Amino acid sequence: KQTAKKAQSLDCDILLHPTVSRDYYAEVVALFIKANVKYSVYNEHSFPEKINHWVEKQYDHIFDVGKYKMALEQNATFIRLLGLIDFKSSMPVLKVDNSCHLCLPKNFFVLFVGGSKWDKIWLEDRFCEVAKWISQNTKLECVVCGVEADKPVESFFSKNDLTFVSYIGKTTITELIYIISKSKFVFGNDTSAIHMAAALNVPSLCI
């Protein structure tokens, strides 16, 4: 209710909603905001037909930025379609603080088990199975990262014979960046660690 009231108090010239993986919450917020013109993009994962009709009806123009591309590329397309035809995107660069003193294996991969939404989090038994396969076939050690709320996976992994070093709930953002920068690759959900890996030019696999 508080968010709806704040949205209704806004009076804008233009509303831009470039998110391709939209949800109901964001659409309701966009509906409440008053704007002279509203621009959005086609949703990669369509709502049911009746709801999709209502969603699209609130926008003055909906752009096609391409499906299943990197968000950076989709957003750049959106900006060009708005009129900045010469706009070019570039990868962000993260600064690594090499003064971090963490005890890390010599050769390892990062397993990042957390996520911002429950529907973006892969099952722990599948993570465990894949991590064991990677370790056995690459001889890389597994370093598990995540936030404090992800700690229950430690006992699950241990019970299922996964050998790993855990930094779950033990790192600052700076330290997580450092760990990722020293890894061979990152494997995890669609969350911060995957984006950090991209900015650090570290290979990653996103579920």
Side-chain angles (χ1 to χ4, degrees), residues 52-71:
N52 202 54
H53 174 73
W54 164 77
V55 166
E56 293 186 353
K57 192 176 180 180
Q58 70 168 314
Y59 297 106
D60 296 282
H61 194 87
I62 300 177
F63 295 103
D64 183 359
V65 295
K67 286 190 174 184
Y68 312 117
K69 295 180 179 179
M70 186 177 181

Side-chain angles (χ1 to χ4, degrees), residues 10-92:
L10 296 174
D11 192 356
C12 310
D13 291 322
I14 301 173
L15 181 144
L16 303 177
H17 187 10
T19 308
V20 295
S21 298
R22 303 205 300 266
D23 56 29
Y24 296 110
Y25 178 80
E27 296 306 332
V28 171
V29 172
L31 177 66
F32 281 139
I33 295 175
K34 298 174 185 177
N36 294 331
V37 61
K38 295 184 178 183
Y39 297 119
S40 188
V41 298
Y42 285 108
N43 194 1
E44 283 186 350
H45 311 289
S46 294
F47 300 118
E49 187 174 346
K50 289 184 179 179
I51 296 176
N52 202 54
H53 174 73
W54 164 77
V55 166
E56 293 186 353
K57 192 176 180 180
Q58 70 168 314
Y59 297 106
D60 296 282
H61 194 87
I62 300 177
F63 295 103
D64 183 359
V65 295
K67 286 190 174 184
Y68 312 117
K69 295 180 179 179
M70 186 177 181
L72 191 70
E73 185 180 345
Q74 290 173 323
N75 289 336
T77 300
F78 181 64
I79 292 171
R80 287 193 290 270
L81 290 171
L82 287 173
L84 298 176
I85 58 175
D86 294 325
F87 178 81
K88 294 182 180 180
S89 62
S90 59
M91 289 294 295

Side-chain angles (χ1 to χ4, degrees), residues 17 19 25-26 28 35 42 48 52 59 83 87-88 98 109 116-117 121 124 133-134 141 144 179 191 196 198:
H17 187 10
T19 308
Y25 178 80
V28 171
Y42 285 108
N52 202 54
Y59 297 106
F87 178 81
K88 294 182 180 180
N98 287 304
F109 69 97
S116 58
K117 295 181 180 180
I121 299 176
E124 56 190 13
W133 186 93
I134 293 172
E141 293 189 54
V144 184
I179 292 172
T191 190
M196 290 177 184

Side-chain angles (χ1 to χ4, degrees), residues 155-175:
S155 59
F156 179 86
F157 287 167
S158 295
K159 290 176 183 177
N160 286 273
D161 302 319
L162 175 64
T163 302
F164 64 97
V165 175
S166 179
Y167 274 97
I168 294 178
K170 300 176 182 177
T171 62
T172 63
I173 295 295
T174 299
E175 289 169 336

Side-chain angles (χ1 to χ4, degrees), residues 109-114 122-132 142-146 150-168 187 189:
F109 69 97
V110 169
L111 183 66
F112 200 91
V113 294
W122 213 32
L123 298 176
E124 56 190 13
D125 59 329
R126 295 180 182 176
F127 266 130
C128 187
E129 184 179 349
V130 173
K132 284 196 286 187
C142 177
V143 173
V144 184
C145 294
D150 301 319
K151 269 198 169 293
V153 303
E154 291 179 333
S155 59
F156 179 86
F157 287 167
S158 295
K159 290 176 183 177
N160 286 273
D161 302 319
L162 175 64
T163 302
F164 64 97
V165 175
S166 179
Y167 274 97
I168 294 178
F187 174 49
N189 298 305

